[in-house]
Amino acid sequence: MDAFTAGLLQRIRTTESDLTRARETGDDFLVEVEESELDDLRRLAAEHGVEVDVTHV
């Protein structure tokens, strides 16, 4: 796995974790921010052929 792929997957995992935390605390604004970030990261992954497991978020 190259550095780009590893970094992208780490950013996705971190964002998923942050999204979960935002949902748990009821921070609706932060939920929207994290969902948007996650969408952007997933789009970037798809554009570069990086497979992402999206079943747990």
Side-chain angles (χ1 to χ4, degrees), residues 35-55:
E35 286 176 337
S36 178
E37 177 71 9
L38 195 53
D39 288 343
D40 290 343
L41 291 169
R42 287 180 177 157
R43 187 183 69 251
L44 183 62
E47 289 172 358
H48 291 276
V50 177
E51 291 190 33
V52 178
D53 176 18
V54 295
T55 60

Side-chain angles (χ1 to χ4, degrees), residues 21-40:
R21 219 170 303 119
R23 286 177 176 155
E24 289 171 349
T25 61
D27 188 334
D28 294 335
F29 176 74
L30 189 54
V31 167
E32 288 186 37
V33 169
E34 297 299 344
E35 286 176 337
S36 178
E37 177 71 9
L38 195 53
D39 288 343
D40 290 343

